[in-house]
Amino acid sequence: MAETTGSPDAMRFEHKELDVSCCIEQLFCGGTKLIMGEEEVELKKKSCAGICNSTKRGPYGEMGTVDGGNCLCFKGFSASSLMPDGDMQCIGCGCEGEKVDEIVAELKNRQKFRGDRAKVRMAEATLSSLEELTSKVDLIMNHLNIEAPGKGEEMTR
């Protein structure tokens, strides 16, 4: 799925290409491919034997709501920035609920580590690191009997 690089917020995701075509699209010589890159997701649709093509691409952080759902008896997923208002992409013959759940979980996971929530966690981690560094500098200054300059005072050599 994803590999970590030292910090829980620095994750690298593998490139995945999934055929998310609905059987109805395939009847008209079309198809849909979901391409999940490291930083962005892309939905490529083709229909009428490739005459009508569309591609929507965007970063995970701007993907918006990602949900699974039902359209009559078909199971599918929706990602608000990739699909027009309220549209849903059904997969296969509509019975592939597990595959839909896996796609939704993967998109949400990637969104979690690339979106606004990830930025907040990174800022909190940076703040915590800064507080720890400040306390270490204070301990060193106390050990060396150095008085901390007051606010507005300039340090001299």
Side-chain angles (χ1 to χ4, degrees), residues 135-148:
S135 66
K136 288 180 180 180
V137 169
D138 289 343
L139 288 172
I140 292 170
M141 289 177 70
N142 285 339
H143 180 72
L144 297 174
N145 294 324
I146 300 173
E147 201 172 306

Side-chain angles (χ1 to χ4, degrees), residues 113-128:
F113 285 98
R114 294 294 188 267
D116 289 338
R117 291 186 340 206
K119 290 176 186 169
V120 168
R121 279 195 317 274
M122 295 279 276
E124 288 172 349
T126 301
L127 186 59
S128 173

Side-chain angles (χ1 to χ4, degrees), residues 60-73:
Y60 292 109
E62 297 174 12
M63 195 166 34
T65 306
V66 178
D67 285 315
N70 295 329
C71 177
L72 300 174
C73 63

Side-chain angles (χ1 to χ4, degrees), residues 4-5 14-16 30 33 43 50 52-53 59 71 73 81 83 85-86 100-101 119 142 147:
T4 57
T5 56
E14 62 187 54
H15 181 85
K16 284 187 178 180
K33 187 179 280 192
L43 189 70
C52 301
N53 297 319
C71 177
C73 63
S81 71
M83 300 167 190
D85 299 327
V100 168
D101 293 341
K119 290 176 186 169
N142 285 339
E147 201 172 306

Side-chain angles (χ1 to χ4, degrees), residues 31 33 42-47 52-56 82:
K33 187 179 280 192
E42 184 175 347
L43 189 70
K44 287 186 169 188
K45 287 182 166 258
K46 70 175 190 172
S47 60
C52 301
N53 297 319
S54 72
T55 300
K56 287 265 192 161
L82 298 175

